[in-house]
Amino acid sequence: MKRKLLNEQELEQLYQEHLLRDFPRSELKPLHAMKRLMELGRYEPLALLDEKGLAGYAMIWLTEEREGALLEYLGVPPERRNEGLGARILEVLADQYGQLFGEAEAPDADDPAENLLRRRRLGFYQRCGFRILDYQCGLFGVRFHGLYRGPLQDDAQVLAMHRKVYADYFPADYMGRLIQIPVLPGEALPPAAGWVEDFDLPGGGEQDVRP
């Protein structure tokens, strides 16, 4: 399986054709934010290719020092699912980045079918070598379990690296108001309308995005 690092035009095409279909808008980072992180050298959108074509994609958000990689989005085209491609992609990513951490929605929805799907997703990551960390996080009003695959055994070290991904980008007043890493079990999350940017970004420009 080959990795292809996408340019901005290729990312936009993938976003329109795949991410908007595969993820609810409440969980999807706006395209402009992905491009901005690419400009900062902090975001790597990858297409994974095999002999049949597109096997899947992964969106990787890096810490400023690039010592850890947050697997933000992972997807496989509908016509390629049930081929074991997700597990193969994770192996490729683990080999490339050394350590991966991620986020999977906690099974706390009102809909039992949705909770079953979330538990299956957690089980998938565990079968692929990830462990569920001892903390949860609240991101823009959504509760997630922390996940990790790599050499570290101390969850506090992973937590610090996980939090730094966001803290390197968002101003301090956003951390805790919109991004809670960690969030205590049962702790209420502040309401938020998806990804929000209403601050001055590095290099200039102010944006307010509420998808």
Side-chain angles (χ1 to χ4, degrees), residues 92-163:
V92 170
L93 298 177
D95 288 343
Q96 179 177 356
Y97 293 102
Q99 54 183 344
L100 296 170
F101 46 100
E103 302 150 353
E105 276 191 294
D108 59 358
D110 295 331
D111 182 358
E114 175 63 23
N115 284 331
L116 178 61
L117 178 64
R118 295 180 184 184
R119 292 190 182 95
R120 287 177 175 171
R121 189 176 296 127
L122 286 167
F124 163 74
Y125 281 107
Q126 288 179 292
R127 291 191 299 274
C128 291
F130 285 77
R131 58 188 177 86
I132 300 176
L133 298 167
D134 64 4
Y135 67 88
Q136 294 183 340
C137 47
L139 305 172
F140 299 101
V142 181
R143 186 182 299 270
F144 293 86
H145 283 291
L147 304 169
Y148 178 73
R149 173 173 169 165
L152 296 179
Q153 298 301 314
D154 184 352
D155 286 7
Q157 289 181 278
V158 182
L159 187 154
M161 187 165 51
H162 186 178
R163 192 175 191 279

Side-chain angles (χ1 to χ4, degrees), residues 11 15 23 39-40 51-52 60 91 94 101 105 109 118 120 123 129 149-150 152 168 170 184 196-197 200 204 209-210:
L11 169 61
Y15 191 95
F23 293 92
E39 293 174 2
L40 297 171
E51 65 280 357
K52 296 181 182 179
I60 304 294
E91 287 293 331
F101 46 100
E105 276 191 294
R118 295 180 184 184
R120 287 177 175 171
R149 173 173 169 165
L152 296 179
D168 283 347
F170 287 101
L184 299 177
V196 178
E197 290 181 1
D200 288 327
V209 179
R210 306 172 191 273

